[in-house]
Amino acid sequence: MTVGRRGYAPTVEPPRDDAAATDPLLEGLTPEQRDAVTTAASPLCIVAGAGSGKTRVLTRRIAWQSATGAIDPRRVLAVTFTRRAASELRRRLRRLGIREEPAAGTFHSIALAILHRHWEENGRRPPELLQNRTAFLARTMSRLDRTTVSDLSSEIGWARARLVTPERYADGAAAAGRRPPRGAAFTAERYAEYEQAKRARRMVDFDDLLALCHATMQRDERFAAAQRWRHRHLFVDEFQDVNPLQFALLRSWLGDESTLVVVGDPDQAIYGWNGADPELIREVHDHLPGVAVLHLRTNFRSSPEILAAAGRVLDREPQPAVRPAGPAPTVRVVEGADEPVELARAVRGAHRPGAPWAAQAVLARTNAQLAPLRVALESAGIPVRMRGETALLRRPEIVDLIDDWNGRESLAGRIADQTIDLEPDPDTERQAMIELFLLLAHDHLALEPDASVDDFLTALRSDDRTESRRDAVELATFHAAKGLEWPVVHLVGLEDGFVPIAHARSRAARAEERRLLHVATTRAQRELHVSWCRTRRRGDGVVAREPSPWLHAFVTDEPHVIAPPPVSYTHLTLPTMIIRCR
């Protein structure tokens, strides 16, 4: 181990030993990673810090345990939070030599596949799936304005995730410190109306899929036993994002012969506002009795300087770093009117000759902050894309592709025919998206071999987050950036009111905002550039802004210097830049 400069993360080198040399599945792993791969403990919780190689460990564990006969890969079920993550896990396993493809999917897609089996075995007609809760609320409660409908949809989603019924909503919201815009009583009444409207139309939403699957596993013991035998080895990624409804479902999938591995990081728990319960991983011993806990701390992604800043965000020691030392984070102070142009200048200045534009990302706390920045970057001739702006099923080439597909036909037959008929497309991006769509369809067959076209499209709609692959600077919110990384990251708008967001008033909410900034910081591999605005336009006037209370984390030596620079634009490495911190 090499000790870094004061306040920086120490750097470490992955060890080489005889065990790694004789087993390629253990090659290149650190001792902590090797322990996580080889231990026979179950249940097992792997607490994996940012950039610590959790996906590598997860796939190596499945492959190594399969190779040694500890588990049967045909009985593996890997639970992820996006279909993209599930596909990546399966691709890595194929590269590691796993011939029998393990099933992998999101909670929703797995629940839907299980329910399809149950409905088919019992000759029941599946209920209609409500694809868009917000649109349904707007239709059935047409007297409400769009903002109220959106707020209601969010509150209902939170309540379902936390197992809060309409009757218990007012008490549950009060206990959680939630402040629904029209009041708890109003929200509870509309929540009850929503549930009644679904029942009257024999419809279920995506949260109902989880609840129905859980109820099915509880009621039909013969069927449940068969499902538990089918998937005896469970692996759950991003465990810090699991909500109580998902955890109840997970428990229903476990039998006496089951093994369980959960992987997550409490420092990256950023979805409490949406119903996730980080206490499940923080107090994992209470929720999974007898669990063994292993920690992965070494960071393979970011430089020591970036990890030092990330550690200061959370007010703790930084993760050990594998990357060599690099430049310290920079901070830029601008006037609000100058922010878009100065960002474009900074992005162009960070663009290395011959490097792809996709090596850079611009991250903000809210989507609203990104729109004017996108215009400025495009005006400067810089290609950009906004994460989440184009869902896969809404892309024209995918709409054209599935236009003549019959929803009741076999998915396996359809993609076999489609692959044969597929002609090369001169548009490489369009071709890539079609190939990705067909790969997702193929992956779905491992989860549901008898799936129809409709089964796959329905599951895809529950998690349609596939992105364009063209070379462009990515614009994303802090939340949307989770799980991603770039060599160069620009964090914009680090002002009080954005970071933390103004409505984060409770201690728990502010702690989550702090973790969110930590997540955004650790997306950077080599360079991190931070900016905030001293003024912003509001209505017809200009208002003064204060820096984020956590901006000091990006100051390397002197975190409390008191006056902002007198010019509208500076780009200096701290601490030579003077800022104002509260």
Side-chain angles (χ1 to χ4, degrees):
M1 175 182 292
T2 303
V3 178
R5 288 172 284 172
R6 183 172 66 83
Y8 287 179
T11 56
V12 298
E13 296 180 0
R16 301 179 63 87
D17 60 19
D18 294 340
T22 57
D23 192 333
L25 290 175
L26 302 180
E27 185 178 359
L29 299 180
T30 65
E32 58 188 12
Q33 289 177 327
R34 193 177 308 125
D35 287 345
V37 166
T38 60
T39 179
S42 176
L44 172 67
C45 175
I46 302 173
V47 178
S52 61
K54 69 178 179 64
T55 304
R56 185 187 198 200
V57 167
L58 196 60
T59 51
R60 292 285 187 100
R61 180 177 174 87
I62 294 173
W64 191 86
Q65 299 272 344
S66 298
T68 59
I71 64 174
D72 182 345
R74 296 169 300 176
R75 303 288 175 249
V76 165
L77 178 61
V79 187
T80 65
F81 271 77
T82 66
R83 296 180 71 87
R84 185 177 188 175
S87 291
E88 174 62 20
L89 184 144
R90 287 161 52 78
R91 280 194 291 273
R92 291 198 190 193
L93 288 173
R94 283 195 288 268
R95 290 199 295 268
L96 291 173
I98 297 293
R99 293 190 181 92
E100 301 87 356
E101 294 191 344
T106 65
F107 275 102
H108 289 96
S109 62
I110 294 168
L112 185 59
I114 291 173
L115 286 170
H116 276 145
R117 291 189 202 109
H118 191 259
W119 291 331
E120 184 175 347
E121 285 183 13
N122 290 274
R124 292 182 55 193
R125 180 170 63 89
E128 181 182 352
L129 183 61
L130 194 162
Q131 306 281 354
N132 188 317
R133 178 167 53 218
T134 303
F136 182 80
L137 286 167
R139 288 195 305 271
T140 57
M141 303 179 189
S142 56
R143 66 191 182 280
L144 301 179
D145 62 83
R146 183 179 302 177
T147 300
T148 300
V149 167
S150 178
D151 290 339
L152 273 175
S153 183
S154 296
E155 285 302 300
I156 291 171
W158 171 84
R160 296 302 306 279
R162 304 289 296 193
L163 302 175
V164 176
T165 63
E167 297 76 22
R168 294 170 47 214
Y169 172 79
D171 291 339
R178 296 184 76 86
R179 295 179 175 87
R182 297 279 290 269
F186 173 87
T187 301
E189 290 172 4
R190 303 294 83 74
Y191 180 11
E193 289 178 15
Y194 169 72
E195 294 296 319
Q196 184 177 3
K198 283 189 304 176
R199 287 193 296 270
R201 293 164 175 78
R202 200 174 179 272
M203 300 179 78
V204 296
D205 62 18
F206 287 112
D207 289 324
D208 289 323
L209 295 179
L210 305 187
L212 283 171
C213 186
H214 177 263
T216 298
M217 296 292 288
Q218 297 295 106
R219 285 197 309 261
D220 192 335
E221 185 53 41
R222 181 200 59 79
F223 176 79
Q227 300 311 306
R228 292 168 187 147
W229 176 86
R230 180 188 183 107
H231 298 306
R232 293 199 298 272
H233 311 297
L234 276 73
F235 296 80
V236 183
D237 195 11
E238 305 288 6
F239 188 61
Q240 77 281 347
D241 294 334
V242 168
N243 63 48
L245 175 57
Q246 292 164 336
F247 186 65
L249 180 58
L250 174 64
R251 293 285 294 266
S252 77
W253 291 341
L254 298 173
D256 293 338
E257 303 300 319
S258 299
T259 64
L260 174 65
V261 178
V262 300
V263 184
D265 179 13
D267 288 341
Q268 297 186 71
I270 58 175
Y271 293 106
W273 58 273
N274 202 28
D277 187 358
E279 292 304 309
L280 290 172
I281 190 168
R282 289 200 194 105
E283 307 295 336
V284 68
H285 291 94
D286 294 338
H287 302 286
L288 295 174
V291 67
V293 179
L294 295 177
H295 292 262
L296 304 180
R297 279 190 45 79
T298 303
N299 184 295
F300 293 82
R301 176 190 299 147
S302 305
S303 70
E305 292 77 9
I306 291 169
L307 293 179
R312 289 191 292 269
V313 168
L314 296 179
D315 194 23
R316 66 179 57 171
E317 287 296 314
Q319 293 176 264
V322 170
R323 278 184 175 271
T330 68
V331 173
R332 181 185 304 109
V333 181
V334 299
E335 306 298 337
D338 299 332
E339 182 185 38
V341 172
E342 298 299 353
L343 174 67
R345 186 180 301 173
V347 169
R348 189 169 291 284
H351 185 55
R352 303 286 188 270
W357 287 107
Q360 297 189 63
V362 177
L363 308 182
R365 176 61 180 84
T366 69
N367 273 306
Q369 295 170 261
L370 295 172
L373 303 180
R374 174 178 185 162
V375 172
L377 291 172
E378 289 178 332
S379 298
I382 298 171
V384 299
R385 67 188 182 100
M386 290 183 68
R387 177 153 292 269
E389 67 178 352
T390 305
L392 183 62
L393 286 174
R394 294 195 296 271
R395 292 184 64 90
E397 62 269 24
I398 303 302
V399 172
D400 291 343
L401 177 70
I402 64 177
D403 186 53
D404 62 343
W405 286 21
N406 184 327
R408 292 184 297 276
E409 69 182 324
S410 162
L411 177 63
R414 167 47 70 178
I415 63 174
D417 293 342
Q418 194 69 56
T419 303
I420 293 172
D421 297 340
L422 192 62
E423 297 181 0
D425 192 314
D427 186 321
T428 55
E429 181 185 0
R430 191 164 56 215
Q431 178 78 14
M433 297 311 291
I434 291 174
E435 291 174 354
L436 181 57
F437 177 79
L438 293 175
L439 177 62
L440 290 173
H442 172 76
D443 286 349
H444 185 83
L445 290 173
L447 184 64
E448 193 176 358
D450 299 325
S452 68
V453 166
D454 271 348
D455 294 338
F456 166 61
L457 296 181
T458 297
L460 191 60
R461 288 187 186 100
S462 73
D463 188 62
D464 191 5
R465 304 175 190 172
T466 307
E467 308 297 332
S468 165
R469 293 180 175 180
R470 68 190 180 93
D471 182 29
V473 175
E474 184 122 46
L475 273 66
T477 64
F478 291 178
H479 281 101
K482 185 171 178 290
L484 304 174
E485 59 187 45
W486 298 270
V488 182
V489 169
H490 305 263
L491 301 183
V492 300
L494 259 71
E495 302 143 37
D496 200 5
F498 285 141
V499 183
I501 201 71
H503 57 71
R505 299 183 181 93
S506 69
R507 178 179 297 181
R510 288 179 68 86
E512 183 163 305
E513 289 290 305
R514 197 168 185 167
R515 293 194 298 270
L516 183 57
L517 178 57
H518 167 78
V519 167
T521 300
T522 54
R523 301 310 94 194
Q525 298 172 331
R526 187 181 68 241
E527 295 180 29
L528 180 64
H529 305 291
V530 177
S531 68
W532 67 282
C533 293
R534 291 182 297 185
T535 60
R536 285 191 184 272
R537 179 166 295 280
R538 181 181 297 169
D540 295 331
V542 175
V543 297
R545 304 284 291 183
E546 294 289 334
S548 165
W550 303 313
L551 191 66
H552 70 271
F554 305 96
V555 183
T556 54
D557 291 315
E558 299 179 15
H560 300 297
V561 189
I562 58 174
V567 294
S568 63
Y569 175 68
T570 61
H571 189 181
L572 301 173
T573 301
L574 291 181
T576 57
M577 188 178 115
I578 303 174
I579 62 173
R580 178 174 58 190
C581 289
R582 293 196 304 179

